[in-house]
Structure formats: C-alpha cells, structure tokens
Amino acid sequence: MKYLLGLLFIAGFLIGRWNPSDSGQDRQSAREAKRATASGSPVASGNRQPGRIHVANDKVQVAPEQLSALLDFETSPALCMRAFLGNPFPEAVKSLDNLAKWMGLEQAEKSTLEKIIREAATDRMRWEKENVKLQSAVQGKWTLDFPGDKGAARDQLRSRLSDAFGPEKATAIELAGNLDRFFWLDPESAEMAHGRVEIQAKIAENSKEWMDGLKIQVTWDRGNFSRTEYRNATSHLADRRLGSLLSVEQILSGVEGAER
Amino acid sequence: MTAGSTRTGWRILAGACALAAGLWIGHWNRDLSSVGMGTTAGKKRGSTSQRQNFSDSDSTASAPRKTKQVNDTSLAFSKQQWAKLVESPRLLAISLDEGQVEVPVINDVPVVGRLFEAEAKGPFFNLKTHADFFGWDDQQLEKVRRAFISFSLDLQDAEASGTTIDYPKSGGILVDYSSSQAQRERLVANLKTDLVSTIGMEDSRKLFLLSGMEGLATELKPKTLVIPNAYKENSGSTASPGDPSISRMPIDRILTETRFSHLGIEIDWNRVRPEAKTSGTTSR
C-alpha cells in the first residue's frame, strides 16, 4: 500500500511537471503573453519585455541586455516630427526600423506605431498652420512665432500610444523613441516646443539661377539659446515643417532681386 | 457497509490525495524552474561569472521579491542622459582596436594591438565624452584612462602569447585565439575592479555595457581566413627590380599581415593553401 501511494505521488509529480509544449522559450513567451493580457494590452506582446524600459524615481530604468542592444544601431531610434510629414523620409524609415527592432515590435505593432506617429505629426502641422504667427517686418526677413499648446499634442500622442499598446509598453516606446522631443522645433536644440524661428533669405550676387542662389538662414531662438542653420532652396523644401509654414515661393516673392 | 469496503474507500482516498499532492507539487516545481530560466536569459553577453560579480552587490536592494529580478539588474539614467543615448546610440562606444569611438569587432579581429602604435600621435583615449556623460571630475577621468591603458597593454600581451596560427588542409589560415581566454577574463575582471573603485558600481556597469567592452571577456572563436588574392602576384605593379619580394607581394597578403602584426605572428605563405570555392573572408 505504502509503495502504491508513493508511486501515485511520483506519477502525480511527473504529470504536474510535464507540459506537452514545454520549452524554456515557450514558458517565457507564455509568461510575457500573460503579463501583456493582465496589463490590458490589445496588441500582442513582442519579444522583449516592455517593462525593460520604464520610469521610476524620476529616472529611466533599463534592463542591461536592452541597453547593450542599443549598441547594435548605428543611427538613432529617436523619432522626430518633421520626418513624418508627407512621404516617408529615409531618416524616418530608419529611425522607425531601429525603434521597432530595439523594442521587439511585431510588424502589426510597427504599422500601428507608424500610423499613430504620422497622425500626431499631421494633426500638429494642421494646428501650427492655424496658430503660428508669420510676420515680415523687413524685406527678406521673417519671424515665425510658435505659441505653446500647453503640451496638448504631446498628451494626445501619449494617450493614443497608451490606447494602442497599453500603458507599460507605451511608456517604453516613448522612452526608446525619445518622444518627449518629437514635437521640438529643433531636436538638436535645447527644449523648444514653442518659441521663435527667424528666417532670413537673400539671393547670392554672383548666381545665375535664382533657385541655386537662394541663401536661407534659419535661426531657432529661445532667449538663452539659439542655433542657426544655413540652407538653400532644396534643403528648405525638404523641411516639410517650416517649409509648410513659409514656402520657398513665399520666400522668393519676398526677396529682392529674385526674378522669375 | 462492511469494514473491508470502508478500508478500500480509505485506500482510494489516500491514493487520490497522493496523486493530487504530486500533481500540485510538480506543477509548482515547474513554475519555479521557469522563473529561474527567466533570470538567466539576459546573461548571454559576457562571461556569466563576471556578470555575477556585478549583479551580486546589487542584491541588497530592499525591493519586494517579485519585482526583484527586474529592478535589481536594471540601470538608472537621468532623463538628459537617456535622451543623449537614444539620440546617438554609440556615444560611449570604445574600440581598443583603434582607440577611437567604435565597437570592437570581437569575433573578427583581435581587440587590441594597434592601439599603442598610435601612442606617439598623442592621447588616443578621448574619454571626455564619457566624463561629461557620467559627470567625472578630472581626477576620476585620469584614473579611468590609466585603468584602460594598463588593461589594453596587458590584453595585448595576453593575445600575443595566446594566439596561434595553423595552415589547414582545407585552405587558408587558421587563427586560434582561444588559449588567451582565461587570461582575458581575468584582465576584464581586474579592469572592472579598478573602475568600480573609481566611479562606483552603477556607473561601471553602465560604462561596460555602453562602451561595448562587456564582450571582451567572451570567447574569440578560432577562425579560418581565406585570402582570395593572396596567391597571384600583383600583375600591374611597377615593381622596382631591386626588391621584388616586397613590391610584388599581393595586397591581400599585406593586409592580412598588417592585421596580425601586433601579435608578433609571421605568416608562412608557402604553407598557405588556396581554398577552391569560397571567395572573400570566411569564418568557420
């Protein structure tokens, strides 16, 4: 009898331990899927755990393996608004690819993310066309005053991401894509979601073709910080954000010596 | 009901209990072992024992047990630091190969060597970016720099004494770095200790990961190099008749020799057999 009980116990133990589809990876992904369901994520969970990048105590916390995976990228996974207006820029494609790879997003998730990002960029662009004040006091010189939107665009992007990916994964995506800077007027500058952009243009004296000779100087100014970039007509056309607010045609019509 | 049938009933009940207990414990045991697997999943980079050194000292954290495996090993960055990293992923990458900002190509080329040939050209480790990022003072920066320099020297020695080449029948050159493995791991461990005493555990871990140096302790696999153009002489070269041995050496041979010169290895080209099919450099 004792032996029988012992045998039954062992049999039970083995049956309990055994699982037909058992492998380390299956278990891991099963746990991740479980966690994803628990956090109410409507999109399937990727390979990497979303919790590997999160914020705690006002610091960005990241798992070591997630951090060292960053080194695999030659270019940044950070996303920037002006690359997501209109037809995809190579820059936009690359950054989105990097982000998706780093975060282990599946194709469907990546498409969802791209759709959200494009919507956010387009909506903000529409808002800017209505609200940015364009002035030209002197010939060949313009100012674009970007009023603050009190973080409305940022908040809307955040909530769209959260609805699509669940709060945990949305936060990870925001951190990985540096989305705090997504709407910055100039991502290279100090924080600048609002402020003044000055554009000065002239036609170079020795140029024969007016398009080639157009020299544009763009200055992002935020009081204690300013950065200047020099452009020609082509590079200004490529900036779909500023280019939509002050087109090359507008610049040409306001510059002395530009005859068409 | 008879005494016998009562007894049978008890037996069946006891059997069922034993089976149930077994099932429950077995299931629990399975979950437990799967949690264990989760914690080791991230250790594929770098040597496990070295990684353990870094993780152990963090295990004093008073976080609840459930969240422990995530929080214990995770690294914390200020938002400014984080933005910098995401904007330029290789900001802090270090290559011991060139002394420049680049990740070492570990399984392809030895990691050090050429470094000290460049010494005459001035400071080869510009760790200023690192100092800015982590907020080191001048003294700390100098200590970190020295730690890196002595590490690279020792590493070069280890590689030079621990690398062998052979000429397999299948063709090409077989370069085997594996005998310096243990020495390399020791050196990496020493470097970590040095860094921890200068910049602390947390920043040392970050530096190791972000510089790409964590991989230096991993095994360099034996590698077969096949040099496609090493067997024909430079036809178009305007060779000076006085010194045909140098000027008529195929460029691929010269490049290959440059690659290993710092290890003190001389390649006997007479023993190198061409490989029939493969073109380019392949690894086995």
Side-chain angles (χ1 to χ4, degrees):
Chain A
M1 180 64 202
K2 265 189 220 161
Y3 296 116
L4 189 67
L5 285 177
L7 273 175
L8 276 169
F9 179 83
I10 291 165
F13 180 86
L14 290 175
I15 293 169
R17 228 187 116 67
W18 178 73
N19 183 320
S21 64
D22 214 2
S23 79
Q25 277 196 332
D26 284 347
R27 274 184 230 148
Q28 181 116 5
S29 54
R31 273 207 316 282
E32 277 173 27
K34 215 173 179 179
R35 202 190 340 243
T37 326
S39 68
S41 168
V43 187
S45 173
N47 299 328
R48 294 211 168 95
Q49 295 169 20
R52 286 185 178 181
I53 308 177
H54 63 277
V55 180
N57 307 322
D58 211 32
K59 295 240 173 180
V60 179
Q61 310 273 342
V62 57
E65 57 271 27
Q66 190 81 34
L67 186 64
S68 44
L70 183 62
L71 284 172
D72 296 341
F73 303 110
E74 288 189 19
T75 55
S76 172
L79 309 179
C80 159
M81 174 183 158
R82 66 179 174 189
F84 287 90
L85 292 163
N87 297 328
F89 270 110
E91 175 200 349
V93 174
K94 190 81 193 145
S95 58
L96 193 65
D97 280 353
N98 287 347
L99 178 59
K101 202 173 160 198
W102 190 25
M103 297 304 297
L105 299 184
E106 286 158 16
Q107 191 53 46
E109 293 177 303
K110 192 181 155 190
S111 308
T112 307
L113 176 61
E114 183 170 6
K115 190 167 163 278
I116 292 172
I117 290 293
R118 286 191 173 283
E119 272 172 13
T122 315
D123 288 355
R124 168 76 190 191
M125 194 64 244
R126 197 179 301 125
W127 182 89
E128 283 179 1
K129 279 186 174 166
E130 285 166 13
N131 291 282
V132 172
K133 208 166 150 195
L134 174 68
Q135 283 178 307
S136 177
V138 185
Q139 193 177 34
K141 217 171 177 178
W142 293 264
T143 55
L144 290 159
D145 282 304
F146 287 76
D149 70 350
K150 297 196 177 78
R154 180 77 193 82
D155 289 347
Q156 197 182 20
L157 173 59
R158 185 168 281 153
S159 79
R160 279 173 178 171
L161 286 171
S162 189
D163 289 348
F165 294 97
E168 201 187 353
K169 194 160 194 168
T171 306
I173 290 172
E174 285 176 32
L175 291 167
N178 240 7
L179 291 184
D180 269 341
R181 296 186 175 195
F182 185 73
F183 295 107
W184 282 18
L185 295 177
D186 174 25
E188 290 172 41
S189 321
E191 181 175 357
M192 190 166 160
H194 56 91
R196 170 171 287 196
V197 180
E198 287 171 356
I199 296 178
Q200 208 172 338
K202 61 176 182 184
I203 304 286
E205 281 169 14
N206 54 357
S207 66
K208 287 171 188 160
E209 295 285 326
W210 53 265
M211 272 292 269
D212 293 338
L214 188 62
K215 305 283 179 206
I216 302 169
Q217 180 185 323
V218 183
T219 304
W220 290 267
D221 191 8
R222 197 180 181 255
N224 56 351
F225 179 89
S226 84
R227 192 179 80 88
T228 301
E229 189 179 296
Y230 299 93
R231 302 174 166 182
N232 57 21
T234 316
S235 53
H236 188 73
L237 273 172
D239 182 347
R240 289 170 189 164
R241 192 176 187 180
L242 288 186
S244 303
L245 298 168
L246 179 64
S247 66
V248 172
E249 283 79 15
Q250 277 172 288
I251 292 177
L252 280 170
S253 65
V255 177
E256 210 173 354
E259 289 175 10
R260 300 153 144 229
Chain B
M1 191 181 265
T2 65
S5 70
T6 312
R7 218 169 138 183
T8 315
W10 276 115
R11 281 180 179 172
I12 291 168
L13 188 67
C17 283
L19 188 71
L23 268 167
W24 183 72
I25 291 174
H27 193 78
W28 175 74
N29 178 287
R30 192 190 66 168
D31 280 356
L32 197 73
S33 62
S34 75
V35 169
M37 290 196 65
T39 56
T40 52
K43 289 185 179 162
K44 57 175 187 250
R45 277 181 184 235
S47 101
T48 311
S49 60
Q50 302 303 345
R51 196 50 150 297
Q52 207 56 49
N53 281 345
F54 270 17
S55 318
D56 278 349
S57 63
D58 285 355
S59 58
T60 47
S62 57
R65 202 177 171 82
K66 261 192 172 176
T67 53
K68 215 176 165 205
Q69 45 168 303
V70 178
N71 290 340
D72 248 12
T73 51
S74 77
L75 296 156
F77 294 92
S78 74
K79 293 198 170 159
Q80 287 86 343
Q81 282 180 323
W82 182 256
K84 274 188 193 173
L85 277 184
V86 175
E87 290 293 339
S88 38
R90 296 192 182 186
L91 184 71
L92 303 179
I94 292 173
S95 164
L96 290 179
D97 208 25
E98 304 290 343
Q100 284 170 3
V101 181
E102 225 175 77
V103 185
V105 186
I106 294 159
N107 280 323
D108 191 17
V109 214
V111 282
V112 278
R114 273 155 264 182
L115 180 64
F116 289 94
E117 290 168 17
E119 193 175 11
K121 289 176 195 163
F124 33 87
F125 273 131
N126 180 8
L127 292 173
K128 281 252 156 63
T129 318
H130 300 72
D132 286 349
F133 185 86
F134 290 110
W136 302 334
D137 58 31
D138 289 350
Q139 223 175 353
Q140 282 175 313
L141 172 60
E142 190 52 29
K143 277 189 183 172
V144 172
R145 228 176 67 87
R146 277 164 196 256
F148 272 118
I149 290 171
S150 75
F151 166 73
S152 335
L153 272 174
D154 293 344
L155 193 57
Q156 181 175 9
D157 287 349
E159 285 188 355
S161 62
T163 307
T164 56
I165 57 168
D166 199 7
Y167 308 92
K169 280 183 182 155
S170 51
I173 304 163
L174 177 68
V175 188
D176 188 350
Y177 312 103
S178 53
S179 64
S180 66
Q181 169 80 20
Q183 177 68 2
R184 248 188 346 255
E185 282 182 16
R186 259 198 306 282
L187 293 174
V188 169
N190 289 346
L191 176 62
K192 281 182 177 174
T193 314
D194 276 4
L195 290 177
V196 168
S197 68
T198 309
I199 55 171
M201 176 64 73
E202 177 89 359
D203 280 359
S204 298
R205 286 176 64 203
K206 290 177 192 168
L207 179 61
F208 253 77
L209 286 170
L210 292 169
S211 64
M213 292 182 70
E214 188 64 57
L216 294 183
T218 59
E219 191 182 356
L220 291 169
K221 293 192 181 80
K223 181 173 180 58
T224 311
L225 297 168
V226 180
I227 303 101
N229 297 318
Y231 314 99
K232 51 182 179 199
E233 295 185 337
N234 276 354
S235 50
S237 75
T238 51
S240 64
D243 196 359
S245 64
I246 292 172
S247 53
R248 302 188 74 189
M249 192 169 189
I251 189 74
D252 288 30
R253 282 192 188 180
I254 298 171
L255 291 176
T256 309
E257 292 199 343
T258 318
R259 243 170 112 174
F260 299 106
S261 63
H262 65 284
L263 296 174
I265 288 173
E266 277 182 33
I267 297 164
D268 182 356
W269 289 102
N270 293 324
R271 293 176 64 195
V272 182
R273 296 177 183 85
E275 198 191 48
K277 285 161 271 177
T278 325
S279 67
T281 304
T282 54
S283 59
R284 71 161 196 194

